[in-house]
Amino acid sequence: MSPEFSDCRMRAISSGFDFVAGMDPTGPQPYEMLYVAGRKYRAGDDLVVERKWARDRGVRIGDRIAVATPTGRARLHVVGIFRFKGDVSFGGAGFAG
């Protein structure tokens, strides 16, 4: 399934494949994330994205991003944009949680 990225008015802004990491918001966090916009994810369809990944794709707070999951397609709501403390990089692959 090729996910489609859409802005807050549901207009398509790009499509393709990206890797998404899921994290338990109540569990230990693998990285220290510093929020530059929006808020931390809480649960449900909340999604936070790394700032370079968001900038490269034109993703903003309020956008909805369709992703393929083991149980089918889901539309996640971008609630925060962050950078890693120490500017950790995933080699341009981006990171979303």
Side-chain angles (χ1 to χ4, degrees):
M1 178 180 296
S2 177
E4 179 180 279
F5 304 104
S6 59
D7 66 14
C8 59
R9 290 176 294 286
M10 303 309 291
R11 296 178 300 193
I13 53 179
S14 70
S15 64
F17 291 94
D18 284 291
F19 295 100
V20 177
M23 296 181 292
D24 179 353
T26 63
Q29 301 304 297
Y31 306 100
E32 189 168 355
M33 298 182 293
L34 306 172
Y35 287 83
V36 298
R39 63 171 172 81
K40 183 177 180 177
Y41 58 92
R42 295 181 187 133
D45 69 348
D46 283 0
L47 176 69
V48 296
V49 295
E50 189 270 330
R51 114 180 119 179
K52 182 179 181 332
W53 186 92
R55 183 175 47 235
D56 290 350
R57 289 159 183 80
V59 172
R60 298 180 187 167
I61 302 295
D63 289 351
R64 291 209 169 261
I65 298 177
V67 296
T69 73
T71 58
R73 187 176 173 133
R75 295 192 73 77
L76 303 179
H77 181 231
V78 178
V79 298
I81 298 175
F82 69 91
R83 71 174 181 81
F84 289 108
K85 182 175 182 179
D87 287 323
V88 171
S89 171
F90 283 89
F95 186 90

